[in-house]
Amino acid sequence: MLGFRRISLALAALALALVVTPPGAWAQEITLEQIREALGYEIPPPWQIKSVSLQPTNPGERRATPDVSHDFTVTIELAAATFLLDRQEGPFTLVRPVAPAALSKTLVGVVRIITRGTNKVARLEIQNREVMENIGKPLDRFPGQLLIKGDERTSKLLAELEQEGVQRQQAEKTRREKEETQLTELVGTLKVEGERVVAERKVMAQRAETLADLRRDFTASDRTQRLAAIEAGIRHTDPIIRALAFEAAYSAKDPAIANLAIGLFLARKKTIPILLYATKLEQLVTCSLS
């Protein structure tokens, strides 16, 4: 909006200068300085005006109206070298050169002076604005730490950054592989532990079921069933079940069951400890004989 106002003021000043121009002086109605001033608002930095030339559109033609058109040619050049953003490398901004300082271009256009009664309006038109486009911008317009592509220092620094990147990737790969190995081991351990817990629960459930069946059979009214249950309990590999079976045999107060329990107990023992007790007199005799 501010640029538009400045352009409008420049064209207004140009129009005011035209208003005070005496009639019949159409060729002298506009000056190069006025054109230069108006173009100053049309040409963006880093372009700057080098020279301006002005020619009537049809110098020898008789005009039916007081409107006047003048062709103009403007030579512009870059005040500084320009660059375009290539990419961002961490904290560094990599730019590539586009155009050197003092690069020269030519603009062509028309300025039309239109008469409306006693007022004159100047309209300025640049016909090849595209020559000013895609030219990049100076280094001081880029943020961050700048690196110029193709520069020896830049090439060395980029090689170092690339090497650091490769090392970081390798370290990250090693870390991921280690984590995956640890995770696999942990999953295997958890699986084995889970299987162990399931097996233990299954054994405990089977033991509980066996104990419930044996307890029921230990107190059955059928003597033969009680005998069979106590025998099975005493022969069992589980020490708790064996202890319960011996307890049931003792509680039964049945000689046959008691004999069965004693026989099975002795059959499981390969050696039977026997304790011998000597009287005090026997000890004295032994001492005196020795």
Side-chain angles (χ1 to χ4, degrees), residues 46-279:
W47 292 107
Q48 60 184 7
I49 299 174
K50 189 69 175 177
S51 63
V52 180
S53 60
L54 184 66
Q55 306 89 24
T57 304
N58 297 304
E61 183 180 349
R62 184 181 182 86
R63 294 185 300 275
T65 66
D67 297 345
V68 179
S69 295
H70 293 286
D71 293 332
F72 63 83
T73 302
V74 183
T75 302
I76 58 175
E77 68 178 16
L78 288 175
T82 57
F83 302 82
L84 284 176
L85 177 65
D86 188 82
R87 67 179 184 275
Q88 203 73 28
E89 285 286 347
F92 300 101
T93 301
L94 183 63
V95 297
R96 54 184 175 86
V98 176
L103 175 70
S104 179
K105 295 285 184 178
T106 300
L107 297 177
V108 294
V110 177
V111 58
R112 294 182 174 84
I113 304 170
I114 302 172
T115 302
R116 294 293 182 268
T118 59
N119 296 324
K120 297 183 184 297
V121 179
R123 293 181 179 175
L124 186 145
E125 177 186 352
I126 300 176
Q127 297 175 334
N128 60 337
R129 290 179 180 272
E130 65 276 4
V131 300
M132 297 185 291
E133 298 174 355
N134 302 320
I135 201 65
K137 54 187 178 181
L139 284 178
D140 57 7
R141 301 286 300 278
F142 290 94
Q145 303 180 50
L146 299 180
L147 295 176
I148 301 175
K149 191 173 184 179
D151 183 72
E152 182 178 355
R153 171 178 170 272
T154 300
S155 300
K156 182 178 179 181
L157 184 57
L158 289 178
E160 294 176 356
L161 291 175
E162 183 178 359
Q163 182 64 27
E164 290 177 1
V166 171
Q167 293 175 354
R168 285 196 301 270
Q169 291 178 358
Q170 184 62 38
E172 180 66 17
K173 181 181 178 182
T174 303
R175 184 187 64 81
R176 287 199 304 268
E177 290 176 350
K178 183 178 180 181
E179 290 180 352
E180 290 174 357
T181 301
Q182 292 176 344
L183 181 59
T184 302
E185 293 176 354
L186 179 59
V187 170
T189 302
L190 292 176
K191 183 179 179 181
V192 171
E193 183 66 17
E195 292 174 350
R196 184 187 66 78
V197 170
V198 171
E200 287 183 353
R201 288 178 178 176
K202 186 176 180 180
V203 170
M204 291 174 64
Q206 290 175 351
R207 173 191 277 183
E209 184 178 354
T210 301
L211 287 174
D213 293 340
L214 288 175
R215 282 195 178 100
R216 185 179 63 251
D217 294 339
F218 288 162
T219 58
S221 58
D222 186 2
R223 186 169 180 267
T224 304
Q225 185 177 356
R226 290 201 308 273
L227 279 170
I230 290 173
E231 182 179 2
I234 293 174
R235 293 181 182 277
H236 204 282
T237 58
D238 191 329
I240 296 177
I241 295 177
R242 288 202 304 270
L244 290 175
F246 278 116
E247 182 181 354
Y250 174 77
S251 301
K253 305 300 182 180
D254 187 327
I257 294 177
N259 290 332
L260 173 64
I262 293 172
L264 291 174
F265 173 77
L266 295 176
R268 291 178 61 85
K269 297 294 183 179
K270 295 182 180 180
T271 59
I272 301 175
I274 299 175
L275 298 177
L276 300 177
Y277 298 92
T279 64

Side-chain angles (χ1 to χ4, degrees), residues 23-43:
W26 302 112
Q28 289 80 28
E29 285 176 347
I30 191 168
T31 66
L32 294 179
E33 287 304 320
Q34 291 169 337
I35 293 290
R36 180 187 289 269
E37 182 179 0
L39 287 172
Y41 299 104
E42 294 284 335
I43 298 173

